[in-house]
């Protein structure tokens, strides 16, 4: 055990610090501080030493240099087991610091709140980060409290051990310190490297939530990030690993639609989606797309949920419902089942890049933010799609973008009729969609077809024509595109190329 005799305190956030300072004072700890922190300590009626008096140098350069001095860092870095270090401390009249409390300038908050570079640069902490690293390096002798987020737990330690710490305590807080410093430096690097001129991947996230389990019960799972920035949970059980994947897929899908639209997802793919004149109409059409798969699914709408729609939704067992809002009546109806997860969508401002592990490293790519409009669909056949067919082609193409490859999407009147998902063969994906439509007694004739990638042969348009589909959209780009074009021309079909492939693996 090591008794805390001298503590250096230099913090930005003072909230939650008062009890710690009073606890240290009660245990006879000498306090050293600078600037605003020193003034705060005095305002509490506590005594403290000015760092300026210790170093014989004032705070200079507008506060940029306050603690960067051998009399400060010597007292932190001195190795208590080395007599030579202790003699040098005595020679230069340097106190031994046993505790360092630091809370860094809020760099990330500043970046989020302003574009003024001068303001942002001034919030790059120099002295604080140096104090953190020095104290953490010398954890055998010094305890570092590196963030206001850790004030509550340190206060409990202070009360429990009466200002004494052991090596386990000090090593734990040193680990926390390097977590803080690495996260801080990552934020600064990513700010300076916004143009990606340096091909370096820096990921750092302190907000960790342990989930019940991962994708399966035998796997541990964690979420790193702040879910509350995206959604507000209004009802239901704890959100799971698989829920988060489906919620992410649902929000990414729905943000591509401007009209009143409802979607039902299972395993990150839409099994039902439709646009209508009302929320209720959209819901009924979306559910009709695949009422079997909808069981236990994730539901999302881009309009507030009203009571009339809530009564219909309430008839289905589902995991999650996401919407920008809920009427009070709808919320009362839907929240009667306590495990049902109801989420109010707050933001769909996602990262511009996606990252995933692969082999011994990471794969990084731009997010697929491209959604083709009617003007970006080039008719390559003699017959062009009708106005209604164009609307359905745009609708279907949005869905196929968010569907696991190989994907084939059949749509009519802005309703998903059926989909073929995740097949190793595009023909099999199409056949899967057709079979599903038939099972639910859906009329395919007059529908349109969207594919996430090009047709290597004409077989897909041949099958489309045989079931009454006369309008198709695909990226194009096959060496044998002309085969499909020729077949369409021969049979009076319309086909458009977008030039954009939407693989999703």
């Amino acid at each position: 055990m090591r008794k805390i005799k001298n503590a250096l305190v230099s913090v930005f956030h003072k909230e939650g610090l008062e009890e710690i300072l009073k606890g240290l004072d009660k245990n006879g700890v000498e306090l050293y501080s600078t600037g605003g922190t020193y003034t705060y300590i005095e305002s509490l009626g506590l005594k403290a030493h000015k760092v300026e008096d210790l170093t014989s140098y004032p705070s200079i350069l507008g506060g940029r240099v306050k603690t960067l001095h051998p009399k400060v860092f010597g007292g932190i870095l001195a190795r208590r087991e080395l007599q030579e270090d202790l003699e040098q401390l005595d020679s230069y009249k340097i106190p031994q610091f046993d505790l360092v409390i630091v809370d860094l300038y809020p760099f990330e908050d500043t970046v989020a709140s302003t574009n003024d570079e001068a303001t942002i640069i001034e919030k790059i902490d120099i002295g604080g980060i140096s104090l953190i690293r020095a104290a953490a390096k010398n954890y055998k002798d010094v305890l570092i409290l590196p963030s206001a987020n850790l004030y509550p737990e340190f206060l409990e330690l202070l009360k429990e051990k009466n200002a004494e710490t052991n090596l386990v305590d000090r090593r734990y807080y040193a680990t926390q310190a390097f977590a803080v410093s690495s996260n801080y430096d990552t934020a600064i690097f990513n700010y300076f490297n916004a143009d990606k001129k340096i091909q370096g991947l820096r990921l750092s996230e302190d907000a960790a939530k342990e989930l019940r389990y991962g994708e399966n019960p035998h796997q541990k799972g964690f979420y790193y990030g702040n879910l509350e920035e995206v959604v507000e949970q209004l009802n239901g059980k704890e959100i799971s690993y698989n829920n988060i994947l489906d919620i992410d897929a649902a929000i990414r899908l729905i943000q591509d639609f401007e009209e009143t639209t409802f979607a039902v997802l299972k395993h990150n793919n839409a099994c039902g989606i439709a646009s209508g004149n009302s929320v209720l109409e959209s819901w009924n059409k979306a559910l009709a797309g695949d009422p079997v798969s909808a069981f236990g699914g994730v539901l999302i709408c881009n309009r507030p949920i009203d009571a009339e729609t809530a009564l219909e939704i309430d008839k289905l067992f589902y995991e999650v419902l996401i919407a920008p809002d809920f009427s009070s009546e709808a919320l009362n109806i839907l929240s009667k089942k306590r495990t049902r997860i109801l989420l109010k969508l707050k933001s769909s401002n996602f990262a511009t890049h996606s990252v995933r592990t692969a082999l011994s490293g990471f794969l990084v790519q731009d997010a697929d933010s491209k959604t083709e409009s009617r003007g970006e669909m080039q008719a390559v056949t003699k017959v062009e799609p009708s106005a209604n067919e164009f609307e359905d082609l745009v609708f279907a193409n949005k869905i196929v973008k968010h569907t696991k490859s190989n994907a084939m999407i059949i749509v009519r009147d802005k309703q998903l009729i059926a989909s073929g998902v995740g097949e190793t063969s595009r023909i099999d994906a199409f056949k899967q969609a057709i079979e599903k439509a038939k099972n639910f007694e859906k009329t395919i004739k007059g529908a349109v077809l969207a594919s996430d990638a090009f047709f290597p042969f004409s077989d897909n348009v041949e099958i489309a024509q045989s079931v009454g589909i006369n309008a198709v959209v695909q990226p194009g780009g096959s060496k044998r595109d002309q085969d499909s074009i020729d077949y369409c021309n021969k049979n009076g079909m319309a086909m458009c190329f977008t030039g954009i492939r939407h693989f999703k693996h």
Side-chain angles (χ1 to χ4, degrees), residues 117-130:
E117 179 144 300
T119 302
I120 291 169
I121 297 303
E122 284 307 309
K123 286 299 184 285
I124 297 176
D125 206 310
I126 303 300
I129 203 77
S130 301

Side-chain angles (χ1 to χ4, degrees), residues 13 24 71 79 92 151 186 212 226 250 255 264 283 324 349 371 377 406 438 473:
H13 291 104
L24 292 171
K71 282 200 169 184
R79 294 155 291 188
Y92 295 106
Y151 289 173
T186 296
R212 283 176 291 161
N226 187 358
Q255 69 183 357
V264 183
W283 162 247
N349 185 23
T371 303
M377 293 183 177
N406 286 307
K438 289 180 179 178
V473 62

Side-chain angles (χ1 to χ4, degrees), residues 78-80 82-94 96:
R79 294 155 291 188
R80 307 323 194 242
L82 292 184
Q83 187 61 33
E84 182 182 354
D85 282 12
L86 298 180
E87 289 174 356
Q88 288 185 43
L89 292 185
D90 289 340
S91 175
Y92 295 106
K93 296 182 173 55
I94 301 173
Q96 297 179 24

Side-chain angles (χ1 to χ4, degrees), residues 252-258 367-377 393-402 498 500-502:
R252 290 179 186 276
L253 170 65
I254 206 71
Q255 69 183 357
D256 275 346
F257 294 85
E258 296 179 359
D368 187 0
S369 58
K370 179 66 176 172
T371 303
E372 294 76 53
S373 64
R374 172 175 174 170
E376 294 169 296
M377 293 183 177
L393 288 172
V394 170
F395 189 90
N397 198 55
K398 290 177 180 179
I399 302 170
V400 84
K401 165 188 167 181
H402 295 277
T498 65
I500 303 294
R501 188 181 72 186
H502 287 294

Side-chain angles (χ1 to χ4, degrees), residues 1 4 143 151-166 169-170 172-173:
M1 300 294 289
I4 299 174
L143 189 143
Y151 289 173
E153 65 177 64
F154 176 74
L155 180 61
E156 292 304 311
L157 179 70
L158 181 63
K159 291 177 178 178
E160 178 187 340
K161 297 186 176 179
N162 298 313
E164 290 189 345
T165 66
N166 60 34
D169 299 326
R170 296 191 294 274
Y172 164 76
Y173 281 99

